[in-house]
Amino acid sequence: MTVLSDRLMSKASFRRLRERFGDPLLTTLTIMLALLLFVIAPLQASGVRGAHFFGILFGFVLVAAVFVISGSRLAVAATALALILSVVTSSLRAHHQSIVDVYLEAASWLVAGLTLLIVVARAVFAPGLITFHRIIGAVLLYLDVGLIFAALYGFLALAKPQAFAGLPPMLDNLSVGTNVVYFSFVTLTSVGYGDIAPVHPLARSLANVEAIIGQLYPATLLARLVTLELAHRIDKK
């Protein structure tokens, strides 16, 4: 009986923790990811020392947030794996730069991005009241899509160096990540400056898919959130 009661108490405690911090963590992750992509990464590419530590900090926060938001051990394990890959990359890069570091960095982005996509999507589009934090969580999903495609572009550029016209060589340096992130978000938002262009058929296909997602996501998101809010109001009546 004691073991059973302890388990019930722990589940109740976790439920309270999730109810209190689950939604606010969506906003926290959105702010941190935006800073990482649009502030820290450019600073790191410019040679600012210590900027990469913010990425590691984000990884630790991400592991904790995924645990609170989802409660899934598999999701936590996947996020922890991404964090380990990021730490290993930073350690290897500090001692000896090689193309392996770029592969590890891209793998870290992809694992973290896919895990975050599933966890946040479940939280944002779950039934219930549409809060400010859930709306910001939808923005997090949008940023996460850009991150996932940046990782995919990175892998493709590593495998096919001529897949993108205008993309600098995928050498192990501090600016390698910012180039694919830049191209990814230019494609996602359909800006298309033209300084980097997909040439390989697979690169063009990925760019087309990302551009379609970038166009359809806002409309689909709005429709889904309105539907959830209306359903919540009907249930309250």
Side-chain angles (χ1 to χ4, degrees):
M1 290 294 293
T2 304
V3 175
L4 179 60
S5 60
D6 289 343
R7 288 183 178 179
L8 292 175
M9 289 180 62
S10 63
K11 288 183 178 180
S13 299
F14 177 75
R15 191 179 301 111
R16 289 193 297 269
L17 179 69
R18 187 176 183 180
E19 291 174 353
R20 182 175 181 181
F21 296 106
D23 282 359
L25 279 172
L26 295 175
T27 300
T28 301
L29 290 177
T30 304
I31 294 172
M32 292 190 71
L33 182 57
L35 287 174
L36 180 64
L37 292 173
F38 306 126
V39 178
I40 303 302
L43 288 177
Q44 182 176 340
S46 301
V48 176
R49 295 184 178 181
H52 66 282
F53 287 113
F54 183 87
I56 297 176
L57 173 63
F58 175 73
F60 281 105
V61 174
L62 182 60
V63 172
V66 165
F67 172 72
V68 173
I69 295 172
S70 69
S72 169
R73 294 181 180 179
L74 180 60
V76 172
T79 311
L81 173 62
L83 174 60
I84 292 172
L85 290 174
S86 179
V87 172
V88 170
T89 301
S90 298
S91 178
L92 292 176
R93 184 170 287 162
H95 293 85
H96 176 68
Q97 294 182 347
S98 71
I99 199 66
V100 175
D101 303 341
V102 185
Y103 276 104
L104 290 176
E105 186 175 36
S108 174
W109 288 7
L110 187 60
V111 173
L114 290 174
T115 305
L116 190 62
L117 182 71
I118 296 172
V119 170
V120 174
R122 287 181 175 179
V124 169
F125 298 118
L129 177 66
I130 301 301
T131 64
F132 168 80
H133 295 296
R134 290 178 69 176
I135 294 175
I136 298 300
V139 177
L140 175 59
L141 284 176
Y142 192 76
L143 296 177
D144 190 47
V145 169
L147 179 65
I148 291 172
F149 274 92
L152 294 175
Y153 294 139
F155 278 119
L156 182 57
L158 287 167
K160 301 288 184 180
Q162 305 302 321
F164 298 90
L167 183 69
M170 296 292 288
L171 302 176
D172 185 21
N173 55 59
L174 296 178
S175 64
V176 64
T178 58
N179 295 325
V180 288
V181 167
Y182 164 76
F183 175 73
S184 178
F185 280 96
V186 165
T187 303
L188 184 64
T189 55
S190 298
V191 175
Y193 289 117
D195 50 344
I196 301 176
V199 177
H200 191 277
L202 185 54
R204 291 178 174 178
S205 179
L206 283 175
N208 284 335
V209 172
E210 185 178 20
I212 291 172
I213 293 174
Q215 291 296 309
L216 295 182
Y217 178 79
T220 306
L221 168 68
L222 180 61
R224 178 58 177 167
L225 292 181
V226 169
T227 301
L228 289 172
E229 179 63 20
L230 291 176
H232 177 71
R233 292 183 180 182
I234 292 174
D235 290 340
K236 287 183 67 177
K237 294 180 180 180

